[in-house]
Amino acid sequence: MKKNPTADLLLPSGIGRQVCCKVNLIFLAAMLLLFDSARAQSADTTKTAVKTSAGLAISEAPATVPILYGEQAKNRLLQSVSTIYTRQLTTTPSLQFLQALPGRIPGLNITFSSGGPGLDGNGMSFNIRGARAQIMLIDGVERGYQSIDPEQIESITVLKDALSTVMFGQRSSYGIISVRTKKGDIGKPRISFTAQSGFEAPTALPKPLPAWQYATLYNEARQNDAGIIPVTPQYTQAQIEAYQHHTDPYTYPDVNWYNTVLSKRAGISRYNLNIQGSGKGFRYFVDLDHARENGIIRTSDDNKYNTNAQLNRYALRSNIGVDVTPVTFVQLNLFGRFQRYNQPGGGVSNIFSSLLNTPQSAYPVFNPDGTFGGSDKYQGNANIWGQAVARGYQFQDVRDIAVDLEVTQKMDVLTKGLVLTAKASNNNTAYYSTIRDKNFEVYQYMNGAYTKYGSTSEQTTRGNPNERSRIVYLEGSLSYDKTFKKHAISILTVANQQSRLAFNTTNLPENYTAYSGKLNYCFDDKYVAEGAVSYGGYNWLAPSKRRATYWAGGLGWNLHKEVFISRHLPFISQLKLRANYGLTGQANAGYFSYIQTYFSANGYWFGSGSSLERGSGENAIANTGLNPEKAQKLNAGIDLSLWNNKLTITADYFFNKFYDLVAAPTFTTAVFGAGYPTQNYQRINYWGTDISVNWQQRIKAFSYYVSGNFSLVQSKVAYNGELPKNYDYQITTGMPAGLQYGYTAIGLFKSYDEINDAATAVMPSSPKSSLRPGDIRYLDRNGDGQITVDDQGPIGNAKPAIYYGLCTGFRFKGFDLSVLVQGTLNRQSILSGDFMNGFGNSGQNNAYEYNLGRFTAATAETAQQPRLWLGNNTNNTQVSSFWLKDNDFVRLKNVEAGYTFPEKLSRKIGLPSVRLFANGLNLLTWAEIYNVRKDLDPEAWGAAYPIMKIFNFGINVKF
């Protein structure tokens, strides 16, 4: 297939295109100059750089830890934070850096509902200690860049407790993911070039039954619907044999649409060049990255354009720090990213939905004359191959430009240790969709005749500015650090404001403000105390509710500094007890929802004669009393290191009480005539434990590490403002948050005698006359002789959520290996969609291997699925425990193996370091759900783009 030049496709048009081209040329020229400078000095490149390039598993732990504003010395850290660094990110071959985090950070749970190429955050969600995480910071500013080059990232820190987030004001309750990008450091230029390429394939795809089995099951389903009265089969035995033996593939097609439309694998590649170092009075880090991820949708050579799902990304970062004077430092960060997501004209989601629901017997791909196959049930645009290659194409461009300027002024002239900092950031993002789609007709071929369905249209060209937004962030801070004798004190005050404006709406900007301060005091390097306070505001709340004060405080004790520990237990490198408690907040309000708004109404008029007036109506009632959500959060932890930090253990216990949570009211009446405003009334508690254990050791030339983490989260709805319930088991207050409610299945009806028994309770909407052996039987919880909503109750296991990770690796004489295993426990999922449909939708839904386990007279005692049916089946499609399945899983999430050539050998070709590597993502999966259906991934199934496993190979060269 002919492909468009991706570089041209991704650049903006007109003036913006010219500017971007000039910017790229300037940076490329600068990188080439630095490249030549580095080559001239390559002979003097330090061994430290070479050592780092190999990705040592064993290294000295940083003396400081990234926190919300700046860094904190480990011995004075009282916050619950977890951090990973560049090396742990670059082993994961994915364009979304969140893919590298599952299993690595305790307290952070990331789930994926789809895979494949996609823009930022598509198919991903994450929470921190059970509560929904909302904030992602990059260099201290909220941005949505999840698809950036991991080589640009220095560290990712998860802030989990009140003390770590309280200074963020009205956005401090649900935890924060904070990304810090690399900056220039002192040293000669160091150039790193990485080229990697590989392929990805689905971890699982649905396995539809061949046409003859579909026809056989269809006849069975038709008879099931009729009951004991025999009906004429839809398919004769001769027709079934024609499907099976492919004697007439046009009249009796058997098309495996997944194999026809999807490729077995798709390519992925990434190229990165970055330069880091310093010159006289300045430091720099410059990174240029290009990545491409193809989809698995097949294409046609007849098209001159790309119809596959594909993501192309160009990213450029330049972080430059300048020592303007000995006491004045300026940091300028520039970031530009251009992404294009391409897909077929009808959309990827439509194709996967058609793949899921279309039987293999529906129609042939092509008719004898080469036209697209179809039928009276599958009319124009229905042919899935046509959807993939004959509906044109569409793409979405995303362009991000970010500029950060930070000025740091030492105020030693007043007092040593006093620092004034000012920061400004401007972030612009624009989404633009271009649609060039068309329609096609299909034909049903039967007995030599063709019947046309649908019509063909010319390809359109239209565009749509989906979103254009700007985030402006301003920050000023004053810090003071001083150590005198046994006392160490650190003071920080910060004032910031963030304004977000979406240009594609008429909304006014959304503004957050925060004025905050923090004091950290340490005595004799043993006893630590810290307090923080913030006064936050949010302009979409009513003026009287707009601002609130939040606070947190903590205490710590470095026991290893005590004589009775250091003298008698010298193998203890660190032993710190710490605890903190605080009040945090979260703004959660609609667009100026405290102001009553109205709408024009066409349905009624006031006045008479020539003075008619159009009426108006109220929108949802305003709530002037809406408050920010709040949380009281307790965290107690221990940090332990033994044998000169060979073994490190960090354990935290947390108890978080969220209250004033915003939710729709439950006490309502339709007589009111308008929508009810949301209110502050829900209360939910989360508590649990985060534990991480690390062992690292070097034995001569062999070094290895083993790292594990474990998170346990429990929850309870403390108050839910419920309407009075008839039965206690219907009350959600006191139950775990998010617990699934529905009917309790007690098996399948095995006979008509069971159905017709006088003691059998059924739904009024599904009378006994409509039930058949093999339908689901439900528990009559209240014993009233019928199945109604009063019989719905909790059907989940109510067990705590558990997620964990285990990472291990070694390095020996140039060889290195790392392995990450990630898993979950006590996880359950509702298998809705095609599972519940049987042969629903008048028999137009597909049949799969799991349907072979359906109920029949012969399998009455062992059946794993209800009987088959064609039409609607109200009884079997209810949310019930029958469809709620245990869904624990363990993934071999990430593996990387590499080899760094000996320095003596690589220097012969003028290179201090050359490393070859291979890595993979989602390589193997073990899941409980496989007992139900072996053709789905435990995180994404049905019509979702499949989760992908990636095999990747590359080379890294450092100059």
Side-chain angles (χ1 to χ4, degrees):
M1 186 191 75
K2 296 182 180 178
K3 299 183 185 288
N4 293 332
T6 55
D8 289 340
L9 289 175
L10 283 168
L11 290 175
S13 59
I15 295 175
R17 180 188 181 114
Q18 297 174 12
V19 171
C20 290
C21 288
K22 290 179 180 179
V23 170
N24 280 332
L25 289 173
I26 291 171
F27 277 104
L28 286 173
M31 295 175 80
L32 288 173
L33 288 173
L34 290 170
F35 174 82
D36 290 337
S37 173
R39 283 186 59 87
Q41 302 174 42
S42 62
D44 298 325
T45 303
T46 63
K47 292 184 179 181
T48 302
V50 177
K51 213 171 188 182
T52 304
S53 72
L56 281 176
I58 307 299
S59 60
E60 292 296 327
T64 60
V65 176
I67 56 175
L68 184 58
Y69 297 110
E71 297 180 341
Q72 181 67 66
K74 279 191 170 182
N75 66 324
R76 296 170 61 179
L77 181 68
L78 302 180
Q79 305 172 7
S80 179
V81 300
S82 297
T83 303
I84 65 171
Y85 296 90
T86 306
R87 177 62 186 139
Q88 295 159 294
L89 298 171
T90 56
T91 63
T92 300
S94 173
L95 304 193
Q96 309 278 350
F97 66 78
L98 282 181
Q99 284 275 14
L101 302 188
R104 295 190 186 274
I105 297 180
L108 175 66
N109 185 28
I110 300 178
T111 58
F112 302 90
S113 59
S114 66
L119 299 174
D120 289 310
N122 284 2
M124 299 184 194
S125 62
F126 57 92
N127 65 69
I128 296 174
R129 290 180 167 177
R132 59 188 187 276
Q134 297 178 327
I135 305 300
M136 181 175 295
L137 306 179
I138 297 182
D139 289 331
V141 182
E142 185 176 4
R143 315 179 228 231
Y145 309 151
Q146 295 178 21
S147 176
I148 63 174
D149 166 29
E151 294 282 356
Q152 296 180 5
I153 299 174
E154 177 184 285
S155 65
I156 297 179
T157 301
V158 177
L159 313 173
K160 297 179 281 189
D161 61 358
L163 192 57
S164 64
T165 64
V166 68
M167 293 182 69
F168 218 56
Q170 297 282 40
R171 294 175 290 168
S172 58
S173 276
Y174 293 114
I176 296 172
I177 295 179
S178 178
V179 179
R180 178 178 295 190
T181 63
K182 292 180 179 179
K183 308 298 188 295
D185 58 10
I186 297 175
K188 297 176 180 179
R190 298 179 299 282
I191 300 177
S192 174
F193 174 73
T194 302
Q196 49 191 310
S197 181
F199 63 90
E200 56 184 19
T203 58
L205 280 175
K207 295 179 181 178
L209 293 177
W212 73 270
Q213 282 187 304
Y214 174 87
T216 302
L217 296 186
Y218 191 102
N219 286 343
E220 180 183 316
R222 196 162 185 257
Q223 181 61 61
N224 286 342
D225 285 351
I228 60 175
I229 302 174
V231 297
T232 303
Q234 179 73 24
Y235 299 94
T236 66
Q237 186 59 38
Q239 290 173 323
I240 292 175
E241 290 179 359
Y243 282 124
Q244 184 174 10
H245 301 297
H246 302 163
T247 55
D248 186 355
Y250 297 107
T251 306
Y252 302 103
D254 184 13
V255 182
N256 187 318
W257 287 107
Y258 282 95
N259 290 345
T260 301
V261 176
L262 303 183
S263 300
K264 292 184 178 180
R265 61 183 62 88
I268 184 171
S269 62
R270 189 168 70 85
Y271 303 92
N272 178 268
L273 177 66
N274 64 70
I275 306 173
Q276 187 174 29
S278 65
K280 188 174 182 180
F282 70 96
R283 285 157 270 175
Y284 55 85
F285 173 79
V286 181
D287 181 277
L288 180 62
D289 186 85
H290 171 235
R292 175 173 174 170
E293 182 179 9
N294 292 329
I296 54 174
I297 299 175
R298 293 184 186 271
T299 58
S300 171
D301 292 335
D302 294 336
N303 292 324
K304 296 182 179 180
Y305 46 79
N306 184 16
T307 59
N308 194 4
Q310 179 177 297
L311 179 67
N312 273 287
R313 184 194 73 196
Y314 291 85
L316 174 66
R317 175 170 291 279
S318 172
N319 292 348
I320 298 176
V322 180
D323 295 304
V324 179
T325 72
V327 294
T328 305
F329 179 74
V330 175
Q331 179 71 42
L332 176 63
N333 302 334
L334 303 177
F335 175 76
R337 186 182 66 164
F338 307 96
Q339 294 186 104
R340 169 165 290 185
Y341 174 55
N342 192 89
Q343 59 178 321
V348 167
S349 61
N350 289 333
I351 288 178
F352 277 95
S353 179
S354 297
L355 287 172
L356 181 72
N357 296 319
T358 306
Q360 297 193 179
S361 60
Y363 49 83
V365 181
F366 297 106
N367 292 311
D369 64 351
T371 57
F372 287 119
S375 71
D376 58 338
K377 292 183 178 180
Y378 300 92
Q379 300 190 9
N381 293 334
N383 186 294
I384 310 177
W385 177 247
Q387 291 180 38
V389 303
R391 288 220 63 199
Y393 67 107
Q394 58 177 298
F395 55 86
Q396 186 177 49
D397 288 322
V398 184
R399 295 157 188 167
D400 304 285
I401 300 294
V403 180
D404 301 343
L405 179 64
E406 185 176 52
V407 180
T408 302
Q409 178 69 47
K410 294 182 179 179
M411 308 292 288
D412 291 350
V413 65
L414 298 178
T415 181
K416 192 172 182 179
L418 186 66
V419 178
L420 178 65
T421 302
K423 180 177 181 178
S425 176
N426 190 301
N427 304 266
N428 287 272
T429 296
Y431 290 78
Y432 193 93
S433 291
T434 300
I435 302 173
R436 294 170 181 164
D437 61 353
K438 57 185 178 180
N439 297 318
F440 62 89
E441 57 198 20
V442 299
Y443 292 83
Q444 184 174 18
Y445 173 76
M446 185 173 293
N447 300 324
Y450 292 87
T451 304
K452 175 184 171 182
Y453 296 101
S455 60
T456 299
S457 67
E458 295 297 323
Q459 183 169 294
T460 65
T461 298
R462 62 187 189 275
N464 180 29
N466 304 121
E467 180 181 346
R468 182 178 165 224
S469 62
R470 180 179 66 203
I471 293 177
V472 177
Y473 179 80
L474 301 174
E475 176 185 303
S477 65
L478 185 65
S479 64
Y480 177 71
D481 281 283
K482 182 71 173 179
T483 300
F484 48 97
K485 296 183 180 179
K486 294 185 177 183
H487 306 276
I489 188 171
S490 174
I491 301 174
L492 174 66
T493 60
V494 180
N496 59 48
Q497 176 180 338
Q498 175 179 297
S499 177
R500 185 184 187 277
L501 176 62
F503 292 96
N504 58 317
T505 71
T506 58
N507 289 354
L508 296 173
E510 183 181 25
N511 296 329
Y512 290 92
T513 58
Y515 304 93
S516 56
K518 179 180 68 173
L519 170 64
N520 181 284
Y521 170 75
C522 182
F523 175 74
D524 200 20
D525 210 22
K526 299 177 183 177
Y527 314 110
V528 187
E530 182 171 299
V533 64
S534 68
Y535 181 64
Y538 180 60
N539 69 320
W540 284 10
L541 290 167
S544 61
K545 306 293 183 180
R546 189 165 291 174
R547 298 171 182 84
T549 301
Y550 308 105
W551 54 267
L555 296 172
W557 183 14
N558 289 306
L559 275 81
H560 62 284
K561 294 292 185 178
E562 300 289 355
V563 175
F564 63 85
I565 295 290
S566 59
R567 179 178 299 173
H568 301 290
L569 301 172
F571 60 89
I572 296 179
S573 309
Q574 181 190 34
L575 176 57
K576 179 169 63 177
L577 301 179
R578 51 184 168 78
N580 67 66
Y581 180 81
L583 173 68
T584 59
Q586 194 80 22
N588 183 11
Y591 180 70
F592 291 97
S593 58
Y594 65 91
I595 300 176
Q596 184 62 57
T597 57
Y598 302 87
F599 63 89
S600 297
N602 297 322
Y604 51 91
W605 298 80
F606 295 104
S608 61
S610 61
S611 60
L612 290 175
E613 297 290 339
R614 186 183 300 272
S616 65
E618 286 183 313
N619 287 317
I621 299 302
N623 183 357
T624 58
L626 195 66
N627 289 292
E629 298 178 339
K630 303 175 186 66
Q632 296 174 344
K633 308 175 80 172
L634 168 69
N635 190 92
I638 180 172
D639 302 315
L640 174 65
S641 298
L642 304 177
W643 302 296
N644 196 25
N645 295 321
K646 287 183 180 179
L647 175 65
T648 60
I649 300 173
T650 298
D652 285 271
Y653 169 80
F654 63 91
F655 195 101
N656 301 331
K657 299 174 66 174
F658 292 86
Y659 63 99
D660 281 351
L661 298 180
V662 175
T666 55
F667 298 93
T668 62
T669 173
V671 178
F672 186 66
Y676 281 81
T678 55
Q679 300 173 359
N680 300 100
Y681 67 85
Q682 282 189 339
R683 299 197 302 267
I684 302 177
N685 299 338
Y686 293 93
W687 68 96
T689 303
D690 302 335
I691 301 173
S692 63
V693 180
N694 304 279
W695 173 271
Q696 59 178 5
Q697 187 175 13
R698 175 177 282 109
I699 305 173
K700 295 183 179 179
F702 179 78
S703 59
Y704 71 97
Y705 69 97
V706 179
S707 176
N709 64 82
F710 172 89
S711 301
L712 182 148
V713 179
Q714 295 178 271
S715 64
K716 183 177 74 172
V717 178
Y719 179 74
N720 200 22
E722 301 173 85
L723 291 169
K725 301 295 176 63
N726 294 328
Y727 303 96
D728 290 344
Y729 56 76
Q730 297 176 321
I731 298 174
T732 60
T733 299
M735 303 300 290
L739 184 63
Q740 184 68 55
Y741 285 77
Y743 294 105
T744 298
I746 56 175
L748 301 174
F749 288 112
K750 295 182 174 60
S751 66
Y752 282 105
D753 289 339
E754 286 188 6
I755 295 172
N756 296 321
D757 189 288
T760 298
V762 299
M763 298 178 183
S765 58
S766 299
K768 293 182 178 182
S769 60
S770 69
L771 296 176
R772 304 287 183 265
D775 283 334
I776 301 173
R777 186 173 187 173
Y778 298 110
L779 174 66
D780 181 10
R781 282 179 179 265
N782 61 0
D784 65 355
Q786 58 182 345
I787 304 300
T788 66
V789 291
D790 282 341
D791 296 304
Q792 293 183 3
I795 56 176
N797 59 21
K799 295 180 181 178
I802 295 174
Y803 36 98
Y804 57 89
L806 177 65
C807 186
T808 185
F810 72 87
R811 183 172 183 269
F812 178 70
K813 292 186 177 180
F815 293 96
D816 61 89
L817 174 71
S818 66
V819 178
L820 172 65
V821 175
Q822 170 233 348
T824 68
L825 290 173
N826 298 337
R827 184 172 183 263
Q828 293 185 318
S829 298
I830 286 283
L831 299 183
S832 57
D834 61 304
F835 286 92
M836 289 186 179
N837 289 335
F839 273 72
N841 192 22
S842 299
Q844 288 184 252
N845 284 340
N846 212 343
Y848 294 90
E849 287 187 357
Y850 74 89
N851 288 124
L852 298 177
R854 83 284 185 197
F855 178 95
T856 66
T859 64
E861 300 299 329
T862 60
Q864 300 297 313
Q865 298 290 319
R867 56 108 177 172
L868 302 177
W869 66 90
L870 289 180
N872 295 325
N873 191 321
T874 303
N875 183 81
N876 289 356
T877 54
Q878 300 294 322
V879 175
S880 74
S881 60
F882 190 92
W883 304 111
L884 184 68
K885 305 298 180 182
D886 291 335
N887 197 10
D888 300 344
F889 69 88
V890 180
R891 285 197 197 277
L892 181 56
K893 187 68 177 179
N894 181 218
V895 175
E896 179 170 277
Y899 177 69
T900 303
F901 287 91
E903 187 178 345
K904 292 182 180 179
L905 180 60
S906 61
R907 283 191 177 277
K908 289 182 179 180
I909 57 175
L911 302 174
S913 174
V914 177
R915 180 173 179 264
L916 300 177
F917 62 89
N919 53 34
L921 180 70
N922 297 328
L923 297 178
L924 294 172
T925 303
W926 297 267
E928 285 191 68
I929 205 76
Y930 288 159
N931 297 328
V932 178
R933 178 168 166 178
K934 295 180 172 59
D935 58 353
L936 57 79
D937 185 275
E939 291 188 279
W941 55 79
Y945 197 110
I947 301 292
M948 307 300 285
K949 52 186 173 184
I950 302 177
F951 302 87
N952 187 58
F953 308 89
I955 182 172
N956 173 257
V957 179
K958 292 187 182 294
F959 304 91

